[in-house]
Structure formats: structure tokens, C-alpha cells
Amino acid sequence: MQDLSGKVILITGASSGIGLATAHLVASRGAKVIINFHSNERAAMEAVQLIREKDGDAIAIQADVMKKEEVNSMVEQALSSFGTIDVLVNNAGGGITQSSFMDMSEELWEETFSLNVNSVLLCSQAVLKHMIPKKNGKIINVSSAAARIGGAGESIHYASTKGAVNTMTIGMSRELIEYGIIVNGVAPGMVETPFHEKFAPNDNRLERMASAVPIKRAAAPMEIAEVIAFLSSHASNYILGEIINVSGGR
Ligand code: NDP
């Protein structure tokens, strides 16, 4: 188990799924957590309360990661509350809705890139303004196994964004190590979160796809959180520019 005492970790999209599990896990290991949410304030506030009840420290901040001003304001609020940010987890994301390639609208394509790719740029730039002068920090980008397989049906837009996240992760790791900043990625396969209901309601996506995974089940969000916690910790300090697949052999 990695000790995260004293670290301040900002997790985007931490009101649900993988981000929420990561918030609880890193808080239980001593980190102070900034829980970013977009629409689900109740879940974010509940998480803050639960973490505080267990003697942890957390705050929730609303921001749309697609909007530069909101991202900058989130980072300012985080810094004024905790004084520093040691780790940024670029986790917020999703597929928005399914579409075949031929029916893909430019609007859906652009919105998916805004949510999954531009957000990584905006959040990373905002946090790096603080990390670069102190020459220390970690950034963890949440990608997807979809990047390697082109998407699991009517999701080329989503898979393409995660391909971009992988490329960004490698490029960022090479450019930012000069400032002592370590960048890595995590690529989950199928994870049991509300993501699938939002992306493809009534599709039984999880059950259908879990049988195609060698391990024959979807991951629990905590199984992804464990890898993010490892990448946040000193235990992973020599790992750089990797995208770690956590996909049950997919
Ligand atoms: P969830 O749908 O459970 O959670 C998504 C989170 O993103 C929520 O906290 C949501 O906030 C937040 N979010 C969405 N839009 C915005 C926005 N514009 N600004 C800020 N926050 C936003 O999904 P997962 O936990 O499953 O997904 C987390 C990450 O993992 C994503 O990047 C996803 O692509 C990736 N992933 C997921 C897989 C899976 O099988 N579940 C597989 C591979 C990768 P709110 O609810 O407050 O609006």
C-alpha cells in the first residue's frame, strides 16, 4: 500500500465511477483531495462528508472541464484551499452518445474531443502554471482500451479521443520531465460505472462486453483507482510516459 500523506490530489470528474473511487482511495491513504464535479453536486458533497468522517480532508469544486475560465477558477480555488497541487488526475470524460461513423455529426465529434481531449489540455495547463515553478508534480491521464481497438461499437469518436489522450500523455511526459513533472496514463477496459448507462442506455453494454474480456468480468472502479493511486505515489517515480492497461487481458 502506498502512503500518500501530505499530497494534494485534484481529480476531475470525481463525483462518479472511477474518479469517485479514486477520491476515496487516495484520501484513505492520507492525501488531501479536490473532488471536481460537473452536474452531480450531491454525490460530490457526500464524498467530501464521508472522507471527512474518516478523518480525511477533501473539498468539492464545480467546474466544466471543457471551459477554460471554469478550469482556471477551479485550480485557483484548490490552491487557495490547500496551498498546492501535487497530482492532477485528468479523469472526467465520457462518450456522450453512440453513433456509427457514417452518421457521425461534426457536433458530436467536436464535443467528444472537447470533453476528453481539450479538458486534458486545459486542466493540465492550469495546474502546470503552479507545478512548473515548484519543479515537481504528477499528471495522470485516464485513457481507455478503446484507443487500441477503435471503440467497442458505434464509438469511433470516443476511441479517437482516447488515442489522442495516449499521444498527449507520451508527448507531455517527454516535454514536462525537464520541470520534474511525471506524466503517465491509465487505460481501463470495461469498468462498472454509470458511464455505460449514459453512453448507451438500454444496450446491456456491460454484460454483453464483459463476456468478451479474457477475465470474463468488468472491473470494479476501485481496481482502476488502485493503479491511479500507485501512479500518484513515490513508488512509481521511475515510470514515465507509460499508458498502463488495466483491462482484464482485453
Ligand atoms: P462516469 O460516467 O461514472 O463519471 C464521469 C465523471 O465525469 C463524472 O464525475 C462527471 O461529473 C464527470 N464529467 C462529465 N462531464 C464533465 C464536464 N464537462 N466537466 C467536469 N466533469 C465532467 O464515468 P467513469 O468513471 O466510467 O469514467 C471516468 C473516465 O474513465 C472517463 O475518462 C472514461 O472515458 C474513462 N473510462 C471508462 C471506462 C468504463 O468502462 N467505465 C473504460 C475506459 C475508460 P458529473 O456526474 O458531476 O456531471
Side-chain angles (χ1 to χ4, degrees):
M1 193 204 285
Q2 297 88 35
D3 182 17
L4 297 170
S5 302
K7 284 195 189 287
V8 177
I9 304 186
L10 166 55
I11 307 164
T12 66
S15 50
S16 177
I18 295 168
L20 180 62
T22 304
H24 283 296
L25 185 67
V26 298
S28 75
R29 294 185 183 168
K32 296 175 185 176
V33 189
I34 300 129
I35 293 175
N36 158 250
F37 66 97
H38 183 221
S39 56
N40 199 344
E41 181 170 15
R42 203 173 75 171
M45 295 316 295
E46 266 174 26
V48 167
Q49 196 183 333
L50 273 172
I51 289 170
R52 288 184 183 163
E53 278 169 12
K54 291 180 184 163
D55 291 331
D57 203 351
I59 56 168
I61 304 178
Q62 200 273 336
D64 182 341
V65 293
M66 300 194 275
K67 297 192 175 139
K68 189 174 185 169
E69 277 155 30
E70 292 188 25
V71 166
N72 288 343
S73 155
M74 167 179 74
V75 170
E76 276 165 30
Q77 286 177 61
L79 288 171
S80 71
S81 296
F82 287 136
T84 191
I85 298 170
D86 300 299
V87 181
L88 165 66
V89 184
N90 281 313
N91 165 76
I96 302 178
T97 189
Q98 285 184 299
S99 173
S100 71
F101 186 68
M102 281 308 290
D103 289 335
M104 187 82 61
S105 66
E106 283 178 77
E107 289 76 19
L108 176 59
W109 187 265
E110 281 166 13
E111 192 183 344
T112 316
F113 269 79
S114 178
L115 177 58
N116 295 338
V117 182
N118 297 21
S119 63
V120 175
L121 175 73
L122 296 179
C123 294
S124 301
Q125 284 181 333
V127 168
L128 283 165
K129 281 184 199 144
H130 159 74
M131 282 180 177
I132 286 177
K134 68 173 183 148
K135 288 203 165 256
N136 185 262
K138 289 192 166 190
I139 298 179
I140 299 153
N141 296 329
V142 179
S143 177
S144 171
R148 284 178 289 125
I149 60 170
E154 302 206 311
S155 53
I156 293 176
H157 55 315
Y158 172 73
S160 301
T161 65
K162 295 302 187 176
V165 169
N166 287 356
T167 305
M168 283 176 82
T169 303
I170 297 164
M172 287 166 70
S173 73
R174 293 166 72 98
E175 190 166 321
L176 296 169
I177 193 58
E178 182 184 343
Y179 307 104
I181 292 149
I182 292 175
V183 183
N184 285 294
V186 174
M190 292 287 299
V191 192
E192 211 163 329
T193 74
F195 172 101
H196 301 281
E197 293 149 36
K198 295 177 201 165
F199 187 51
N202 313 318
D203 188 28
N204 294 328
R205 222 174 121 81
L206 261 179
E207 295 76 17
R208 197 168 42 76
M209 288 164 61
S211 62
V213 180
I215 206 167
K216 299 289 178 211
R217 65 173 178 85
M222 201 50 90
E223 291 175 298
I224 313 303
E226 285 283 0
V227 180
I228 297 173
F230 167 66
L231 289 175
S232 302
S233 77
H234 293 303
S236 61
N237 277 358
Y238 202 66
I239 298 178
L240 182 81
E242 297 290 348
I243 293 119
I244 300 186
N245 295 309
V246 192
S247 59
R250 191 175 175 199

